[in-house]
Amino acid sequence: MKSTGIVRKIDELGRIVIPMELRRTMSIKEGDALEIYTENSDIIFRKYTPGCNCCGETQELKEINGVRLCKKCVEKFK
């Protein structure tokens, strides 16, 4: 993990601001979803990319009855 040297305080509602230069660098736009992970005492934010509900694949997804599936998994379930 690489340190950015940026420090932000949490406000009274529990929010933090991700600095504009970091959002630009990471291609994070207003409205983008971020996943939150924990690892030991670290909190990790990752840009959320929806994937296949079975295998996690992110290419060629189809939504069937509210479930995202990739081409391979659709074929498996046929």
Side-chain angles (χ1 to χ4, degrees), residues 2 9 11 15 24 26 31-32 40 43 45 50 61 70 73 78:
K2 184 173 140 185
K9 291 188 178 191
D11 73 8
R15 300 175 296 196
R24 282 189 189 129
M26 304 302 292
D32 283 352
N40 300 319
I43 300 171
F45 291 90
L61 298 176
C70 70
C73 290
K78 277 188 177 178

Side-chain angles (χ1 to χ4, degrees), residues 2 6-7 10 14 18 30-31 34 40 51-53 67 77-78:
K2 184 173 140 185
I6 300 168
V7 176
I10 297 175
I18 300 171
E30 183 179 327
L34 298 177
N40 300 319
C52 175
N53 287 81
V67 177
F77 291 112
K78 277 188 177 178

Side-chain angles (χ1 to χ4, degrees), residues 11-76:
D11 73 8
E12 64 278 354
L13 296 176
R15 300 175 296 196
I16 60 168
V17 173
I18 300 171
M20 179 60 76
E21 61 269 18
L22 191 55
R23 286 183 279 148
R24 282 189 189 129
T25 302
M26 304 302 292
S27 300
I28 299 171
K29 298 180 291 301
E30 183 179 327
D32 283 352
L34 298 177
E35 278 187 286
I36 303 168
Y37 296 89
T38 60
E39 187 174 296
N40 300 319
S41 63
D42 297 328
I43 300 171
I44 303 164
F45 291 90
R46 287 200 182 131
K47 197 168 176 182
Y48 175 67
T49 307
C52 175
N53 287 81
C54 293
C55 69
E57 176 64 48
T58 59
Q59 303 294 315
E60 298 184 44
L61 298 176
K62 292 184 178 188
E63 190 161 322
I64 302 169
N65 295 329
V67 177
R68 284 184 312 274
L69 295 172
C70 70
K71 199 173 184 178
K72 285 182 183 178
C73 290
V74 168
E75 291 302 316
K76 279 185 202 176

